[in-house]
Every structure is written in structure tokens, then in C-alpha cells.
Amino acid sequence: MLQVYLVRHGETQWNAQRRIQGQSDSPLTEVGERQAWQVAERVRNYGITHVITSDLGRTRRTAEIIARACGCEVIADARLRELNMGVLEQRNLDTLTQEEEQWRRQLVNGNPEGRIPQGESMLEVSLRMHAALDACRALPAGSKPLLVSHGMALGCLVSTILGLPAWAERRLRLRNCSISRVDFQQSAWLANGWIVETAGDVSHLDAPALDELQR
């Protein structure tokens, strides 16, 4: 059985400011740095063999902290990037027009046609996230990888493993530096392939984690 840990990056300046990041970037806050260290302490003795991260700065910094504790190198994979939020990237949520907010809401309310102008659809995100996850199956036997990615991207990945369409209503909350785990296995009582063991665990954090869309 292959176990893969999924970690969302630590809190960023734009998370705290309620700004839309997408594939734009902002650095971790002091809280975000501490969250990353708390993940590192949590997984230090899990036997992690590979730390694979989105190539954006906020995930790379989170991954560097975790990899240092686990004695691993950081491997970048652009397929783990956040959803491209198109023309709304870098905007504050409170400044969106009614039309712009409708574009954003279509990404979370189950609209199969949801897409921000110049951005990605949830189906496109799902395809590249699954490709990155499936690549873990080619790692040497006994590997235990940890992937560092983003809230929308990871939520889409976990939801689709559960059998939901990529554009399904967003009902899975993955806060900053939450830990999830998915396993590739064959079971008499579960469907063969990827299954969800845990999702959104924040018990290792010493303070409530922010979520840019849930305050």
C-alpha cells in the first residue's frame, strides 16, 4: 500500500489580507512559518522519503521546512500549483463587483462551466493534480511521499478521489497547514485504487488556522 500525505501551505500575507492568490504569490506570515514547523514536527518520524511541492513560493517555503525535519530534498512539480484564478488574482475579496463575485462563486457552487476569465476550470485542475499524485506510484517501493499544494487544488483532488465531479460543490475545508492522507491500495471492502484515509487534520496546530474564504 502506498501512503501519500497532502499538506496545504502555511498562512500567507494574502491569506490574512483576504486577497485572491491563485498562481500569484505572497510570502508566509510568522504564523505560517510556525504552522509549517508544526507540520514538520508532526511528520518527522513518519518515514517520509520524498517532499514534492508546487513550485510557487508559499508552498516551496512550507516544503523546505518539512523536508529539513524529514531529511529529504525538495522536489518541485508545477502540476501541484493552485487553481489559476485569472483576472481576479491579487484582488481583495471585499473589492469584487457583483459579476466578479459570481465568477468566483461558480468555482465552489457546483457549476460545471465555472471558470474565471483567463483562469482554469476545476476539471483542468483535477487532471493535473491526479497526474501528480499518480506519478508517486513510480517511486521506489517503500516510498512514503508528502505533497505540498494549495487549498482549492487539494480540495479538488480529495473530492474527486471520493467520486465527486471536479466541479462539485466545495464542501471540504482544508485549512492552512492541514494534513490529509490518501492511500493506493486493493481492498475487499473499498474500491481499488486511491482512497481517502484522513482529510484536513489540524490537530498539530497550536492556534486556529485561517482560511481566506471561511472567515
Side-chain angles (χ1 to χ4, degrees):
M1 180 176 67
L2 173 63
Q3 298 177 352
V4 181
Y5 289 89
L6 309 174
V7 175
R8 185 184 172 196
H9 62 80
E11 179 192 287
T12 69
Q13 292 181 3
W14 288 6
N15 288 152
Q17 296 168 6
R18 292 171 54 82
R19 289 176 66 183
I20 296 171
Q21 293 184 108
Q23 294 186 2
S24 301
D25 217 354
S26 70
L28 299 187
T29 62
E30 290 185 9
V31 170
E33 293 267 338
R34 187 171 73 249
Q35 290 171 333
W37 281 109
Q38 289 168 345
V39 172
E41 287 301 311
R42 169 83 178 268
V43 304
R44 180 187 296 274
N45 297 316
Y46 281 16
I48 301 299
T49 57
H50 300 77
V51 175
I52 306 169
T53 180
S54 154
D55 60 349
L56 299 179
R58 59 193 187 269
T59 42
R60 288 187 68 100
R61 176 57 183 159
T62 304
E64 288 167 359
I65 292 171
I66 297 169
R68 188 179 309 170
C70 296
C72 301
E73 295 183 359
V74 173
I75 303 168
D77 187 338
R79 294 175 296 187
L80 295 172
R81 281 188 172 197
E82 180 60 295
L83 170 75
N84 186 328
M85 301 285 278
V87 298
L88 297 188
E89 292 198 4
Q90 306 183 32
R91 294 282 301 281
N92 189 290
L93 285 173
D94 299 329
T95 69
L96 301 184
T97 67
Q98 185 175 3
E99 181 182 29
E100 290 169 340
E101 175 62 8
Q102 184 177 19
W103 294 341
R104 190 187 69 80
R105 291 299 304 174
Q106 287 179 345
L107 297 173
V108 300
N109 66 6
N111 186 333
E113 305 300 324
R115 181 196 299 267
I116 295 169
Q118 300 179 30
E120 286 182 290
S121 70
M122 296 305 293
L123 178 58
E124 289 167 333
V125 173
S126 172
L127 291 174
R128 60 176 170 80
M129 289 293 291
H130 274 274
L133 178 63
D134 285 338
C136 293
R137 296 177 59 198
L139 294 172
S143 295
K144 189 176 289 187
L146 181 149
L147 309 186
V148 184
S149 188
H150 307 263
M152 294 286 285
L154 287 172
C156 182
L157 177 63
V158 174
S159 295
T160 49
I161 289 173
L162 290 171
L164 296 172
W167 55 86
E169 293 179 340
R170 189 183 185 203
R171 297 190 179 277
L172 177 62
R173 180 176 295 165
L174 301 177
R175 295 192 181 275
N176 291 118
C177 272
S178 60
I179 301 174
S180 305
R181 198 186 98 193
V182 297
D183 300 341
F184 191 87
Q185 64 174 52
Q186 293 183 341
S187 169
W189 298 104
L190 297 169
N192 291 336
W194 292 108
I195 61 97
V196 177
E197 178 70 20
T198 60
D201 183 1
V202 291
S203 61
H204 50 285
L205 302 182
D206 63 6
L210 292 177
D211 186 295
E212 69 272 21
L213 302 180
Q214 298 291 343
R215 288 192 293 156

